Amino acid sequence: MEDIKMVDLKAQYAKLKPELDAAFSAVMESMEFINGPQVSNFARSLEDYLQVQHAIPCANGTDALQIALMALQLPAGAEVIVPSFNYVSGAEVVALLGLKPVFADVLADTFTIDPASVKKIITPATAAIIPVHLFGQGAPMQEIMEIAHEHNLFVIEDNAQSLGAVYVRPDEHEVRLGTIGHIGTTSFFPSKPLGGMGDGGAVFTNDNKLAEIIRKIANHGQSEKYKFSTVGVNSRLDTLQAAMLDVKIKYVDEYNEARQEIARFYDNAFADTPAIQAPHRFKQSSHVYHQYTITVAPAVRDSLKSHLRDNHIPSMVYYPEPLHLQEAYTYLGYKSGDFPVSEVLSQSVLSLPMHSELKEDQLTYICQNILDFMNNNG
Ligand SMILES: *Cc1c(COP(=O)(O)O)cnc(C)c1O
C-alpha cells in the first residue's frame, strides 16, 4: 500500500504534467509575469464556470475577503458577523479594516453559520454577514439572505473551501456557491478545491458597480494610470498562477466528483457505528468534500488521532480553537460558553485523508483502523 497523505498534490500534478508544464513554459517565454494575458483568460474561465458576471483575480483568499469588504465602504466601527468555528481570515480582515468582528455560532450538524445565532446579534451597527461554505458545502444561504434583506445588510460569501458546489434555490434553480450574496470570494491555496502552485484568490459579483470598485481596489485604487481615486491594495494573481489555474479549472468537477465517491466509501464504512458521526449533508447544497470531517466524543478525539498517527494515517483538527476564544480577539470580550456548538465542535471534529488519488486499499485500511479503535474505546 502506498503512504497515505492528507492531500496528494504530487499525484495530481503527475496527471496534468504535460499541460501544466506547457502552460508554465509559455509564461516563461513571454516573461509577462504581471498581468499577462493568462490572468484575464483565467478570469473569463472562472466567470464561465461559476456563471457569474465578474470574477476578479487577486493574490490570495484573505485578500479577496479584504478587498470585498473595502468595496462595501462601511463606516468605521461597523459590525460584521462571522462564524466562530472557522479559519481566521474573515475575522482578521474585519478587524484590520477598523470594523468590528461579531461572532456567531454554527449549526451542530453542518458546522456552518447558524441563522438563529445571527438574528440574536444584529444591532443598528451591523453592516454585513460573512457566511462561510465550510468543508465543501453551503451555509444556509436562503435564511442568511432573508435576514440580510430584512436588516439591509451586505452578504459576502467566503467560498474558499467549496468552489464548484451547487446551491439549490427555493425555486429549484441551481447556482454555484459564491454567486448568491452581494460578493463571493475564494482562495486558490494549493490544497483548496481549485488549487494553484502557490497563493491565489478571486472575488466574484453580479453587481457591475461593485465589480468596478473591486477591480480598482485590487490595483492600488487606480482609476487610470497614476490616478488614484480610492485607497487600494496591491493584490494581483501572478501570471504563472493564472496559467496553472486555467489548466486546472477544467478538472475541478472531476476532482470534486472523485472526492464525493471517496466520501461515499467513508459514509458506508461508518454507517453502523453511532459513535462516529459522518458529515451531515445539507439538503440545499451539494458537498464537494474539501474536508471529510467526522465528529466523535471529545473524550476520545485526541486518542483516535494518535492511534491513526501510530498507524501512519494522517488526520487533522480543523479547527482546534474557536475564534471567539483566540488570544488575538480577547479584546472583543467573549468568554468560554458564549458559543457552545463551536466550542464542542473544536473538541470533537477530525478531518480524514481526502483527495482524488486515494486508493481503495488505503481507504479500507483507514476505515478499519478507525472502526477498531472506536469499537474498543467509543
Ligand atoms: C483558506 C481559507 C481562506 C484564506 O485563503 P488564503 O488564500 O490562504 O488567504 C479564507 N477562508 C477560508 C474559509 C479558508 O478556508
Side-chain angles (χ1 to χ4, degrees), residues 173-184:
H173 184 74
E174 293 190 352
V175 291
R176 298 274 193 193
L177 287 175
T179 65
I180 303 161
H182 299 88
I183 306 180

Side-chain angles (χ1 to χ4, degrees), residues 46 49 51 61 93 128 141 145 153 190 206 211 233 239 259 262-263 348:
L46 200 53
Y49 178 75
Q51 292 291 298
V93 298
M141 289 306 292
M145 294 310 290
L153 310 174
N206 283 312
V233 294
T239 308
R259 288 197 308 279
I262 287 156
S348 45

Side-chain angles (χ1 to χ4, degrees), residues 59-65 86-90 92 131-135 158-162 185-192 198-202 290 319:
N60 58 69
T62 308
D63 272 11
L65 284 164
N86 184 20
Y87 189 58
V88 73
S89 298
E92 172 181 281
V132 179
H133 303 313
L134 200 74
F135 298 160
D158 180 348
N159 198 25
Q161 300 189 3
S162 306
T185 66
T186 201
S187 162
F188 305 122
F189 185 88
S191 62
K192 302 279 160 106
D199 278 313
H290 171 56
Y319 298 96

